[in-house]
Amino acid sequence: MTLPGIESKQYPLEILAEYYLMQCVAEPIGLLMTYLDAPDRFNILLKNVTMTGLGTDSKVGTVEMKELWVQRSEMIAIRVEEADLEGAIQKLPAQEKLRIFMPRFVVQGTLTRGEDTRLGDMFEVMKGAWAAMFNAQVYPHTAMKAQVFRDARLLLLNKNRIRFYEAVAE
């Protein structure tokens, strides 16, 4: 559906959920980050979804769907092209290389924070539901049936799915 004067654009995404890898397209009206981060939005509409069960014990193979509504709380991380965020990610002056433990995955990469923000406070003072990790590597905790991407130039991490984290020496 096209509304006069309001643009929609297609954004290819790869989404890690606890039990699934989803390759899909989001087509929000307006900016992608505004859509993903809206505080009153609990479900995200995904289109042209290819969903694959992750665990070796999963009975789900690969399923294709034209549309799928996914609760934001179920998303662990989203691999997206930085250019698609259209400047919505602010890179702060202090860079911190972190190893972050999330359900089913450990991710390692660089996050930015304010120079006066302590490591232990950084996720509390960040606005929104997502934290942007640059030059990320993704490591599954257990054996995977599906091939999960290893590298991401930009990975959006669902802050509510972060279990614990540590600083990593360069």
Side-chain angles (χ1 to χ4, degrees), residues 85-106:
L85 297 179
E86 302 176 56
I89 302 295
Q90 181 182 14
K91 292 183 182 176
L92 299 171
Q95 294 189 1
E96 197 74 55
K97 188 167 185 180
L98 297 178
R99 183 176 299 124
I100 299 178
F101 296 81
M102 304 180 86
R104 202 175 276 268
F105 301 97
V106 176

Side-chain angles (χ1 to χ4, degrees), residues 6 15 73 104 117 130 133 138 141 155 162 165-166 170:
I6 299 178
I15 299 173
S73 62
R104 202 175 276 268
T117 303
W130 303 95
M133 177 177 270
V138 177
H141 287 293
L155 192 62
I162 293 172
Y165 60 97
E166 66 173 333
E170 290 291 327

Side-chain angles (χ1 to χ4, degrees), residues 19-35:
Y19 299 102
Y20 304 99
L21 169 66
M22 291 173 248
Q23 296 168 313
C24 56
V25 171
E27 191 176 5
I29 295 172
L31 299 174
L32 176 63
M33 203 64 209
T34 302
Y35 178 71

Side-chain angles (χ1 to χ4, degrees), residues 11-27 32 35-36 43-54 68-81 102-105 107 130 138 144 146-149 152 154-158 161:
Y11 301 95
L13 307 174
E14 287 184 88
I15 299 173
L16 292 175
E18 197 162 345
Y19 299 102
Y20 304 99
L21 169 66
M22 291 173 248
Q23 296 168 313
C24 56
V25 171
E27 191 176 5
L32 176 63
Y35 178 71
L36 292 174
N43 297 295
I44 305 294
L45 176 61
L46 305 175
K47 296 184 177 186
N48 303 324
V49 180
T50 300
M51 184 170 75
T52 306
L54 288 176
L68 179 68
W69 287 94
V70 178
Q71 287 187 2
R72 180 172 56 190
S73 62
E74 290 299 314
M75 298 176 181
I76 294 173
I78 302 173
R79 182 162 77 164
V80 61
E81 292 298 320
M102 304 180 86
R104 202 175 276 268
F105 301 97
V107 295
W130 303 95
V138 177
M144 294 279 143
Q147 181 67 38
V148 174
F149 58 86
L154 177 62
L155 192 62
L156 297 176
L157 306 177
N158 186 334
R161 303 304 304 266

